[in-house]
Amino acid sequence: MLCDIDSLTVLHCLDSICAQSAQGESTSAEFQPSCLGGDMSRLTLPWPPSVNRYWRTFRGRMLISADGRSYRQEAVIAAMPGQRFGAAKVKVSIDAWLPDNRRRDVDNLFKAPLDALCHAGIYDDDSQIVELSIRRAGLDKANPRLEITLEAA
C-alpha cells in the first residue's frame, strides 16, 4: 500500500493545535520527534488504539475508525519535523511504555503507528521495512507511549 501525506489534514491539525494553545489547552506538542542526524530519527507517538478500535466495518468495507483517524492525525503532527526516508529500506525499533498491567500481545501494537508513519510521509510504503522490533519498555500510567527509532537499512 503506497502512502502519501494529506496536506489538508496536516494544516487542519496545525490549526487545531494553534487554537488549543491560544486557549491554554493541552496540545499534542509533547509528541515531538527528534532528528538524530545522518540516517536515523527518533519519534515519540501516543499510545495507539487497539486493533479492534482502529478498524470498523461499514457496508461490507473495512475502514479506519474515528479513534484510528484521530490517532493518525496526532502521529502525523508528531512526525512532521522528523527525517524522511523516501523509498529507502528502513529498520524500525519500538519501545512500548504500557498504560497498565493488562495482558496484551505486543505484536498488535504495530499496525496503527506504522500506518500513521507511512501516512505522515516518513517512508513511502510499509514494504520498505526490513527489520522490525518491539519491546516492553515499562509501565507509565501517566504517559503511555511508543518511542520509535527509525534507521536507514
Side-chain angles (χ1 to χ4, degrees), residues 39-43 83-94 114 117-118 121-133 148-153:
D39 294 329
M40 185 181 278
S41 185
R42 185 166 293 142
L43 304 166
Q83 166 137 0
R84 301 297 187 252
F85 292 90
K89 300 293 183 191
V90 181
K91 296 178 187 178
V92 180
S93 173
I94 301 175
L114 294 180
L117 291 175
C118 183
I122 297 297
Y123 44 81
D124 293 343
D125 186 75
D126 290 347
S127 66
Q128 294 168 231
I129 299 172
V130 296
E131 188 175 311
L132 182 60
S133 66
I148 302 175
T149 303
L150 299 112
E151 183 177 0

Side-chain angles (χ1 to χ4, degrees), residues 67-119:
D67 284 346
R69 289 189 306 271
S70 176
Y71 177 80
R72 187 163 59 171
Q73 285 180 340
E74 285 187 59
V76 166
I77 292 166
M80 280 177 47
Q83 166 137 0
R84 301 297 187 252
F85 292 90
K89 300 293 183 191
V90 181
K91 296 178 187 178
V92 180
S93 173
I94 301 175
D95 289 336
W97 291 90
L98 305 164
D100 53 46
N101 285 320
R102 284 187 294 166
R103 281 183 48 178
R104 58 175 44 90
D105 295 339
V106 293
D107 62 323
N108 288 335
L109 294 175
F110 285 127
K111 188 65 176 163
L114 294 180
D115 282 351
L117 291 175
C118 183
H119 186 75

